[in-house]
Amino acid sequence: MASITVRNLNDEVKKRLRKQAAEHGRSLEAEVREILSRNASPQILPRTKTGLDIVQPLIDFVDKHGGVELEIPERAPMRPLPEFAEDAKPFHRKK
């Protein structure tokens, strides 16, 4: 496998790449490999979805419109389970 060195990379770019890598659960090196592979041959390697991709629209919405404070109700005892009739047939799996 080949290796490359990127000189004069802006510190802010490196910081953003490191953050992006952490959000995707990868090392900085693995994140850069993924970016380069995806952009060098997009028809071959589709971008893999992460958990962040699923919740990102919600995060963006909350950032744009603000959050909502929800009242958490007090816990109550569990409701009693219904009583079963004594003449009910027992459950058996069909074979």
Side-chain angles (χ1 to χ4, degrees), residues 2-92:
S3 0
I4 63 170
T5 301
V6 179
R7 289 181 173 73
N8 300 321
L9 183 64
N10 184 306
D11 288 337
E12 186 60 32
V13 171
K14 182 179 178 186
K15 187 188 298 184
R16 286 192 312 247
L17 282 170
R18 189 174 296 282
K19 181 181 179 202
Q20 183 176 323
E23 288 172 349
H24 293 147
R26 297 190 269 249
S27 68
L28 175 60
E29 186 177 341
E31 184 70 16
V32 171
R33 254 194 317 271
E34 171 66 23
I35 291 168
L36 290 172
S37 297
R38 184 175 62 234
N39 289 306
S41 55
Q43 69 280 5
I44 296 172
L45 296 173
R47 181 172 176 264
T48 48
K49 296 245 178 197
T50 66
L52 182 62
D53 293 325
I54 296 170
V55 297
Q56 192 62 52
L58 297 172
I59 294 170
D60 294 342
F61 181 85
V62 169
D63 287 346
K64 182 177 178 183
H65 299 290
V68 176
E69 292 295 324
L70 298 176
E71 182 180 325
I72 300 174
E74 287 193 31
R75 293 184 62 109
M78 190 172 93
R79 292 178 287 163
L81 295 174
E83 296 294 325
F84 292 101
E86 289 184 21
D87 60 341
K89 296 179 183 176
F91 175 78
H92 293 288

